[in-house]
Amino acid sequence: MRITDARVVVTSPGRNFVTLKLVTDGGVTGVGDATLNGRELAVAAYLTEHVVPVLIGRDPARIEDTWQYLYKGAYWRRGPVTMTAIAAVDTALWDIKGKVAGLPVYQLLGGRSREGVTVYGHANAETVDDVLVEVSGYVERGYRAVRVQTGVPGLPGTYGVSTSEVYEPADAALPTETAWSTEAYLAHVPSVFARVREEFGPGLRLLHDVHHRLTPIEAARLGRSLEPYSLTWLEDPVPAELQEGFRLIRRHTTTPLAVGEVFNSIHDCRQLVTEQLVDYIRTTVVHAGGITHLRRIFDLAALYHVRSGSHGATDLSPVCMAAALHVDISIPNFGLQEYMRHTPETDAVFPHTYHFADGYLHPSEEPGLGVDLDEEAAARFPYRPAQLPVNRLLDGTVHSW
Ligand code: EZ4
Ligand code: CO
């Protein structure tokens, strides 16, 4: 069997997605997500110029060999653009292998380790009263875990709080600017979780995303102040380039920590995992080298009692979500899966058979990933430049977004 064609499709059914579609001489096809939010065309060009030419004629059965060929063969290792491109190829090859075997991909990964994939939804609103309504909506739909974000009094807009029906941070061709005050934020957040816990009791799992905005000692203080509300995790409390900084947070709080959505290789995770500085590792299929590399990360994590908590925002396409669910259902150390619903336009461009029921997502039972790219539908939504916001302190200093 040989790869005869490889197409890179950029489409924007409400937001931008990059997808790789591989075609084989036997007619079997495979898809992989290659979307890197705000930097989509960099990955599209990497694939088109440097990867597609070496794929033509290759045996699609050789997943590991192709992964090593693209990783070691490029000489320039790691990085989000490279690892997203490799992920797309790897994911598409697992799709093909599943279709050839006549099995859903999770069966190739060892089969089911659980009945369903527990997901968390996003409750966000400007005020605490409004966020309580959002949370109860999730509870009514059967969710067991909810991420809670609210506006901060005194700030004009806050990360994770939508200004429109659909939450979409990549909202303009040139970055919009947001404002930040650590003091206002730290003064407000504990009162939000006090209300939510009071309203919903101890059973509901609650999460919060700091989005890389604190220093280690500020994060330690926040973690400690949230301990009475028993969060499942506090996400990205600080930018994670300084991994030893997490030791300082750990010395002060038992609030569990989750990190990894911007990581792209096992080496980014290594210190946090092996020193047990985090409790959940949030790397994804699309940004961390595909199913092959993600499993390697999760296997390392399992040795250190670290569980998975894969990123699943709407900028990860349904192809990524389909692949993530095959990993989630099969690994021994699954923790939680983030789940933001895509728009109906996106679902129409990426027809899929994974589904939500009773707080769980269930992977497809079809051979392969159980997701496809409808290229005719995709062609109706041309690319639109869109970048993520830039964040500033109130005095104008550029801060982490
Ligand atoms: O800001 O996916 O946990 N989820 C997140 C996301 C990220 C976006 C960036 O592209 O932090 O909302
Ligand atoms: Co996040």
Side-chain angles (χ1 to χ4, degrees):
M1 212 171 162
R2 297 286 154 198
I3 297 170
T4 53
D5 193 13
R7 296 196 283 274
V8 180
V9 177
V10 183
T11 179
S12 191
R15 66 146 13 267
N16 291 318
F17 295 107
V18 181
T19 311
L20 177 69
K21 189 161 194 170
L22 299 183
V23 182
T24 63
D25 50 5
V28 177
T29 62
V31 287
D33 185 15
T35 309
L36 184 62
N37 202 3
R39 296 293 184 268
E40 292 86 359
L41 298 188
V43 184
Y46 190 109
L47 283 169
T48 305
E49 301 297 326
H50 307 293
V51 175
V52 166
V54 306
L55 291 179
I56 306 302
R58 290 183 77 86
D59 178 357
R62 297 179 62 169
I63 299 179
E64 183 68 41
D65 181 71
T66 301
W67 198 98
Q68 300 295 338
Y69 184 93
L70 294 174
Y71 184 80
K72 295 176 180 165
Y75 185 63
W76 310 105
R77 296 181 182 212
R78 305 162 59 185
V81 175
T82 295
M83 296 303 279
T84 301
I86 294 176
V89 176
D90 183 82
T91 308
L93 292 180
W94 278 102
D95 192 19
I96 290 170
K97 192 176 285 294
K99 288 178 183 172
V100 169
L103 292 170
V105 167
Y106 77 80
Q107 293 290 10
L108 305 179
L109 302 177
R112 270 175 195 277
S113 286
R114 55 197 50 80
E115 299 311 314
V117 172
T118 306
V119 296
Y120 68 91
H122 285 201
N124 66 81
E126 204 49 53
T127 68
V128 183
D129 285 337
D130 288 347
V131 95
L132 293 175
V133 176
E134 285 285 309
V135 175
S136 58
Y138 282 103
V139 172
E140 278 161 25
R141 278 175 275 158
Y143 282 74
R144 294 175 173 79
V146 185
R147 187 187 95 158
V148 179
Q149 312 288 138
T150 69
V152 175
L155 290 181
T158 313
Y159 162 77
V161 178
S162 27
T163 45
S164 61
E165 193 74 354
V166 182
Y167 174 68
E168 187 49 76
D171 57 359
L174 291 175
T176 51
E177 296 205 355
T178 56
W180 179 251
S181 160
T182 295
E183 295 74 18
Y185 171 76
L186 289 180
H188 181 62
V189 176
S191 67
V192 175
F193 282 89
R195 287 281 305 281
V196 176
R197 202 41 105 194
E198 187 183 48
E199 193 87 12
F200 294 95
L204 183 63
R205 300 174 72 179
L206 300 175
L207 303 83
H208 180 67
D209 192 350
V210 182
H211 225 250
H212 329 264
R213 283 151 190 230
L214 300 177
T215 66
I217 199 68
E218 290 163 353
R221 181 177 138 206
L222 178 62
R224 183 178 279 187
S225 66
L226 292 173
E227 281 172 21
Y229 317 117
S230 304
L231 265 60
T232 292
W233 80 47
L234 188 64
E235 178 172 326
D236 291 329
V238 299
E241 288 98 328
L242 183 73
Q243 302 207 348
E244 58 267 40
F246 282 76
R247 294 181 193 142
L248 182 54
I249 310 175
R250 282 299 218 201
R251 276 203 288 278
H252 296 285
T253 181
T254 57
T255 293
L257 304 176
V259 175
E261 68 181 51
V262 302
F263 289 178
N264 53 71
S265 94
I266 197 167
H267 305 288
D268 299 323
C269 308
R270 193 172 53 207
Q271 186 178 10
L272 290 182
V273 167
T274 61
E275 287 193 36
Q276 300 178 53
L277 297 174
V278 295
D279 302 282
Y280 296 88
I281 193 78
R282 302 192 61 255
T283 43
T284 62
V285 171
V286 57
H287 298 138
I291 291 172
T292 298
H293 196 65
L294 194 63
R295 275 224 301 178
R296 216 149 264 159
I297 293 172
F298 291 160
D299 279 345
L300 175 72
L303 300 179
Y304 295 91
H305 299 275
V306 174
R307 284 175 283 179
S308 73
S310 289
H311 187 205
T314 45
D315 50 293
L316 290 74
S317 89
V319 176
C320 178
M321 182 55 79
L325 296 176
H326 291 287
V327 176
D328 292 338
I329 202 86
S330 61
I331 59 173
N333 56 328
F334 169 75
L336 271 180
Q337 169 68 54
E338 184 178 29
Y339 177 43
M340 282 175 86
R341 285 166 198 262
H342 289 105
T343 62
E345 293 77 21
T346 298
D347 287 340
V349 168
F350 297 98
H352 55 264
T353 48
Y354 63 79
H355 64 280
F356 177 87
D358 303 326
Y360 297 123
L361 272 174
H362 298 277
S364 170
E365 292 295 340
E366 286 176 15
L369 295 174
V371 64
D372 205 353
L373 170 72
D374 180 336
E375 289 178 78
E376 270 177 37
R380 289 199 288 273
F381 301 100
Y383 170 75
R384 288 180 312 185
Q387 298 199 51
L388 290 168
V390 171
N391 195 26
R392 292 185 190 273
L393 301 180
L394 298 181
D395 71 358
T397 307
V398 173
H399 195 64
S400 302
W401 174 69

